[in-house]
Amino acid sequence: MPELPDVEGFRRVVADHVVGSKVASVRVLDAGVVHTSPEEFTRALQGRVISEPSRYGKWLRVPTRNRSGYPQLLAHFGMTGAFVWTPGEQADHRHDRVVFEFRDGALRYRDMRKLTGLRLATERSEVEELLGDLGPDAAGVSRRDLRARLTRTARRIKPALMDQTVVAGLGNLCVDEILWRSRLAPTLSTTDLEAAHWARLHARLGSVLRSSSRVGHVPDRPSWLTGHRDEHDARCPRCSTPLSRSKIAGRSTVWCPRCQPS
């Protein structure tokens, strides 16, 4: 599932290839992903010049160049969505759902499972309605705010971190990596953490997101938990202890029982 680092990568795709360019045409290949009529979607964006995109949590906002910034494209990538740039003229991929054509190539919304998709906002209130329930963006949340929001109710630390109304942008891979680096078990209660735990958690959250955002995904490096979670006989890259696996809040969870004691 695309998480904050992935969406930051998609933001760079838009920023690097289409900012300042006019949308020559819009082709809606699958009406189910645009959450409005294909005709309205096309009419609103075709001929518009793309302005600088921004990311909030797992959402990407793509404004158009005028005083108000509207109409504006909002993208949520669900489980399998992505923005892909293809230069020149290329055939459509079977999972291309919407194609924005420009003079020198095409920006493609590509999505196999089609769980969310693209939305059109024509004014600020529509953006606020979509994003208003989200917590602060995970890449910029302060330590104090993180602790305050996570301790409002006693709950396990992993599902609390993944709750988008608490903090926006973290998904399964990010949270497992952050907790492993923080040496915190995913089953710990948020009310059991002490000041030193919060300092470490906030620091590791920031470092994981910075490193991951630079490459546009949570990397599967040998020194990262993510690099070993799918191995048959997976072991902790820090201490070589066999990794534990379980479902927590319905999500596949991997941790080291030695480095992250309960």
Side-chain angles (χ1 to χ4, degrees):
M1 173 185 291
E3 305 180 27
L4 186 157
D6 305 83
V7 180
E8 181 60 24
F10 303 148
R11 186 199 65 78
R12 288 198 296 270
V13 170
V14 176
D16 290 347
H17 294 287
V18 302
V19 167
S21 297
K22 180 185 291 188
V23 181
S25 66
V26 180
R27 293 190 292 118
V28 178
L29 305 179
D30 189 325
V33 304
V34 296
H35 299 273
T36 187
S37 72
E39 294 77 17
E40 180 183 0
F41 188 85
T42 299
R43 185 168 55 250
L45 296 173
Q46 191 163 292
R48 300 282 184 170
V49 175
I50 300 299
S51 192
E52 193 69 32
S54 63
R55 181 199 51 74
Y56 193 95
K58 299 180 183 182
W59 285 87
L60 183 65
R61 296 174 60 179
V62 183
T64 52
R65 184 167 290 179
N66 53 54
R67 182 174 296 180
S68 69
Y70 294 91
Q72 192 168 118
L73 179 69
L74 288 93
H76 192 288
F77 300 90
M79 291 288 291
T80 57
F83 269 144
V84 178
W85 172 256
T86 55
E89 294 185 8
Q90 296 189 26
D92 295 334
H93 186 278
R94 65 192 180 101
H95 294 144
D96 286 346
R97 307 303 176 185
V98 180
V99 180
F100 303 90
E101 295 182 332
F102 296 83
R103 180 178 57 82
D104 56 348
L107 180 69
R108 301 171 183 273
Y109 178 71
R110 189 170 290 173
D111 193 352
M112 180 176 68
R113 296 185 63 182
K114 304 187 298 180
L115 295 181
T116 48
L118 307 179
R119 288 171 170 80
L120 185 67
T122 58
E123 57 186 34
R124 183 184 181 92
S125 62
E126 294 173 337
V127 176
E128 292 174 346
E129 183 178 353
L130 280 172
L131 309 186
D133 291 336
L134 296 178
D137 185 81
V141 66
S142 69
R143 186 201 308 179
R144 176 180 294 182
D145 200 13
L146 181 69
R147 181 174 184 172
R149 298 182 71 85
L150 288 173
T151 54
R152 286 176 179 173
T153 57
R155 58 192 300 197
R156 289 180 294 180
I157 185 70
K158 175 164 183 177
L161 283 168
M162 293 186 63
D163 185 340
Q164 301 301 297
T165 66
V166 175
V167 60
L170 301 179
N172 203 39
L173 294 183
C174 277
V175 171
D176 279 1
E177 190 71 40
I178 291 164
L179 292 176
W180 175 74
R181 290 175 178 270
S182 303
R183 296 179 180 266
L184 296 172
T187 53
L188 287 174
S189 172
T190 56
T191 56
D192 289 338
L193 272 60
E194 300 176 356
H197 296 140
W198 288 110
R200 194 163 66 236
L201 176 65
H202 184 260
R204 301 301 179 267
L205 182 152
S207 63
V208 166
L209 291 182
R210 285 191 297 273
S211 295
S212 300
S213 293
R214 280 196 289 269
V215 296
H217 62 275
V218 183
D220 55 355
R221 297 168 182 157
S223 61
W224 287 51
L225 178 73
T226 308
H228 300 270
R229 61 182 298 135
D230 294 327
E231 295 175 355
H232 173 66
D233 185 24
R235 292 181 175 270
C236 174
R238 187 163 46 209
C239 71
S240 295
T241 299
L243 295 174
S244 294
R245 299 177 184 276
S246 184
K247 289 276 189 181
I248 295 179
R251 302 305 303 274
S252 176
T253 302
V254 178
W255 74 99
C256 173
R258 181 178 178 182
C259 294
Q260 300 167 263
S262 300

